Amino acid sequence: MLNSLIRVDLHIHSKASSYKDKGVDLSACDAEHVDVLLDKLVEAENSIDMFSVTDHNRFDTTLYEELYKRIDERGLNIHLLSGVEFDVELQKGKPAAHIIAIFNAKDAADRE
């Protein structure tokens, strides 16, 4: 049973989605800049409790490992879920739908 509000963002893109997100500057959305993202997520006005970087058809293990590492080092009370945004053709001849999949990855080996 849910006893309090949980703020979730499962639709964050990184540099790995730049091939598809034309016109969006994702150049600083990578493992070297995870603190920028984490700072924004934990700001009082955002106060995100749980998030995932769900890139288009890609999973960046280096980015995820750096995020987990920095969350732990900084002692942040935020939960990271492993995920991907897949392009899926649901109807023949129609544009692909974007389906977000969250995986039960328990450790770095699972994420590989």
Side-chain angles (χ1 to χ4, degrees):
M1 171 173 242
L2 183 62
N3 293 320
S4 63
L5 179 66
I6 298 173
R7 295 180 60 124
V8 178
D9 188 342
L10 301 178
H11 196 228
I12 298 171
H13 289 175
S14 77
K15 192 189 299 190
S17 286
S18 61
Y19 79 100
K20 191 156 183 146
D21 290 339
K22 303 295 183 199
V24 178
D25 182 13
L26 296 172
S27 61
C29 302
D30 56 16
E32 291 77 38
H33 299 91
V34 296
D35 284 310
V36 175
L37 172 61
L38 292 172
D39 289 344
K40 286 291 185 187
L41 292 173
V42 300
E43 280 180 352
E45 63 266 18
N46 297 322
S47 192
I48 298 295
D49 299 298
M50 184 180 302
F51 75 105
S52 183
V53 177
T54 51
D55 284 308
H56 291 286
N57 308 305
R58 308 273 193 278
F59 186 85
D60 183 347
T61 55
T62 303
L63 173 63
Y64 267 86
E65 294 318 308
E66 189 62 24
L67 282 163
Y68 277 108
K69 176 181 149 193
R70 294 298 295 142
I71 289 167
D72 184 54
E73 288 174 355
R74 292 176 57 178
L76 298 177
N77 187 23
I78 191 168
H79 302 281
L80 174 58
L81 303 173
S82 300
V84 175
E85 179 180 346
F86 291 107
D87 293 339
V88 178
E89 183 182 29
L90 297 175
Q91 290 182 322
K92 191 169 181 85
K94 300 283 185 180
H98 294 166
I99 307 293
I100 292 178
I102 302 298
F103 301 98
N104 188 22
K106 295 179 177 69
D107 56 30
D110 280 349
R111 289 186 290 276
E112 278 292 322

